[in-house]
């Protein structure tokens, strides 16, 4: 399994730079998925590339957006030709204004999930040979593996926090049941029913009520 990346944004920026250099292009832009395919962070190998990535998110079209939506790489396309101007009119205008004339997209996917997209930007046709194209895909796959490991790590940490909070809640409720059992001379089962009904009637989390019972701030006497 790949090692989780410490900074996903820096990781994707570095991958943009390496991918552009490997393909002999001056720049590459990227979109890093943070929640869903249409919620992404723009990155780039330089300022102009980052601006073009940001523009895609603003105008909601461009090669990076198409890559995120499809999960598949985008073949090289001439930005000076009619196809690019029809598919991405506003983005293409901004790209050509910055001196770019060709673009190709790479999808960063792992286990069926689209984690990001990189668009290589060139001021001339890329004309990449098959071996170099394959190596570029491997580089994109390696970047995706690191992002996926980070995603899995975050999920594991979140699950751990949820389990910890659930355990704390359970401990508090058990302690509150004991307090009520002793205070009111009732069984633990009856104490739990009392806690649950009291929390529901006041629309408060049972954990908060349990904490208040333990501290002597609630149910000091039998409410019945």
């Amino acid at each position: 399994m790949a090692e989780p990346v410490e900074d996903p944004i820096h990781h994707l920026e570095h991958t943009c730079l390496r991918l552009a250099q490997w393909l002999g292009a001056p720049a590459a832009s990227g979109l890093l998925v943070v929640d869903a395919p249409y919620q992404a962070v723009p990155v780039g190998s330089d300022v102009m590339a980052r601006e073009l990535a940001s523009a895609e998110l603003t105008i909601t079209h461009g090669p990076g957006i198409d890559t995120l939506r499809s999960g598949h790489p985008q073949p090289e396309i001439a930005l000076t030709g009619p196809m690019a101007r029809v598919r991405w009119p506003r983005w293409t205008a901004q790209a050509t204004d910055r001196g770019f004339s060709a673009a190709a997209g790479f999808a960063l996917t792992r286990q069926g999930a689209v984690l990001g997209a990189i668009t290589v930007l060139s001021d001339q046709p890329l004309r990449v040979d098959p071996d170099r194209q394959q190596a570029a895909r491997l580089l994109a796959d390696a970047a995706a593996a690191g992002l996926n490991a980070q995603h899995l790590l975050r999920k594991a940490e979140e699950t751990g926090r949820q389990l910890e909070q659930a355990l704390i809640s359970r401990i508090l409720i058990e302690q509150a049941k004991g307090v009520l059992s002793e205070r009111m001379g009732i069984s633990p089962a009856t104490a739990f029913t009392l806690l649950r009904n009291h929390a529901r009637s006041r629309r408060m989390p049972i954990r908060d009520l349990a904490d208040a019972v333990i501290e002597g701030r609630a149910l000091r006497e039998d409410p019945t």
Side-chain angles (χ1 to χ4, degrees), residues 2 11 15 107-110 134-147:
H11 177 70
T15 304
L108 277 62
T109 61
R110 200 70 175 177
Q134 178 62 22
R137 290 197 187 97
L138 291 175
L139 179 59
D141 288 344
L147 292 173

Side-chain angles (χ1 to χ4, degrees), residues 132-162:
R132 193 167 286 268
Q133 183 79 5
Q134 178 62 22
R137 290 197 187 97
L138 291 175
L139 179 59
D141 288 344
L147 292 173
N148 185 61
Q150 176 65 20
H151 175 68
L152 293 176
L153 178 61
R154 287 200 306 268
K155 286 183 65 176
E157 290 174 343
E158 178 61 26
T159 299
R161 285 192 291 269
Q162 291 174 353

